[in-house]
Amino acid sequence: MFNFFMKFLFLSFVLLCSSNASEKQIQQIQKADSFQNFSGSAENFSGKVKVSLLVERNEWRDFNVALVEFSPQARSGWHTHPQGQTLIVTEGEILAKVQGQKASIAKKGDVISCPPGVKHFHGATHSKGAHLALQGFKDGKNVEWLELVSDEEYKQALQEIQE
C-alpha cells in the first residue's frame, strides 16, 4: 500500500509540474520584421539617426535594448541615464564624450559603459556607426534628454580624438 501511495504521489507531482509548465511561456522569439523602428527626433538627435527597439521592458525585464544607427556626423543630444547605459558598437566607430572629459572612440566590438547620472553624448564620426544601447529603468524612466550638442562641441570632440 505504501508503494502505491508513493507512486501516486510521484505521478501527481509530475502531472502538476507539467500542467504548470504548459501554462507558462518558457521562451519567445521575436521576428526581425516585427521590431519598432523610428527616426531619432530632432529634439534629441542631430543628423539622420535610425532607432530599432529590439527588446522592450516588461513585467520581468527592467531594461530595454535598441539598435541605434548613425549616419556620418549624426549624434545624440546631451543626456543622462538614471540606471546607467551600456553600448556595444556593432558597426564603424562611435564617438563618445562625457561632459568635462576628453572624447573617445569605440570601434566595432567595443563596449562603452556609462554610470548612472553621467552627462554624455555619442554618435558617428565622419563615417556611419551603430551600437546596441542597453539601459535600465528607474521610476519608469530610462533617459533624461538635455540640450542638443552644438556643432562647435561636436567639432571639438572630433579634434580631441585626434590628439
Side-chain angles (χ1 to χ4, degrees):
M1 182 70 168
F2 180 75
N3 270 346
F4 174 77
F5 178 73
M6 290 305 290
K7 287 178 184 177
F8 175 77
L9 190 60
F10 176 75
L11 286 174
S12 298
F13 176 74
V14 168
L15 287 173
L16 180 65
C17 288
S18 65
S19 69
N20 284 343
S22 66
E23 293 171 12
K24 294 180 183 179
Q25 190 171 12
I26 303 300
Q27 180 173 294
Q28 182 182 48
I29 297 174
Q30 186 176 358
K31 299 296 183 180
D33 62 358
S34 71
F35 299 136
Q36 179 186 351
N37 298 302
F38 53 92
S39 294
S41 72
E43 293 95 31
N44 301 325
F45 294 93
S46 298
K48 185 178 176 188
V49 178
K50 178 184 175 186
V51 180
S52 301
L53 189 55
L54 305 180
V55 177
E56 295 188 58
R57 178 185 187 202
N58 63 23
E59 65 277 357
W60 56 266
R61 180 176 44 232
D62 202 26
F63 66 93
N64 68 0
V65 180
L67 173 63
V68 184
E69 299 170 89
F70 296 93
S71 63
Q73 299 183 353
R75 59 204 179 260
S76 71
W78 290 104
H79 60 285
T80 65
H81 297 277
Q83 292 291 81
Q85 182 182 52
T86 301
L87 305 175
I88 303 167
V89 181
T90 59
E91 181 182 352
E93 296 179 335
I94 294 296
L95 174 68
K97 169 82 173 165
V98 170
Q99 186 178 43
Q101 295 182 8
K102 185 178 174 183
S104 311
I105 283 289
K107 297 182 180 191
K108 184 177 180 178
D110 291 345
V111 176
I112 303 167
S113 297
C114 190
V118 173
K119 185 176 179 179
H120 68 284
F121 78 86
H122 32 88
T125 58
H126 294 294
S127 59
K128 65 183 181 176
H131 62 64
L132 291 171
L134 298 85
Q135 49 272 322
F137 286 78
K138 184 175 183 179
D139 300 326
K141 291 183 73 173
N142 68 351
V143 64
E144 178 72 29
W145 288 107
L146 305 168
E147 69 276 6
L148 288 175
V149 173
S150 70
D151 289 341
E152 294 77 28
E153 290 172 311
Y154 177 73
K155 288 175 187 173
Q156 177 62 37
L158 287 174
Q159 286 178 354
E160 290 172 6
I161 62 172
Q162 299 302 321
E163 298 171 356

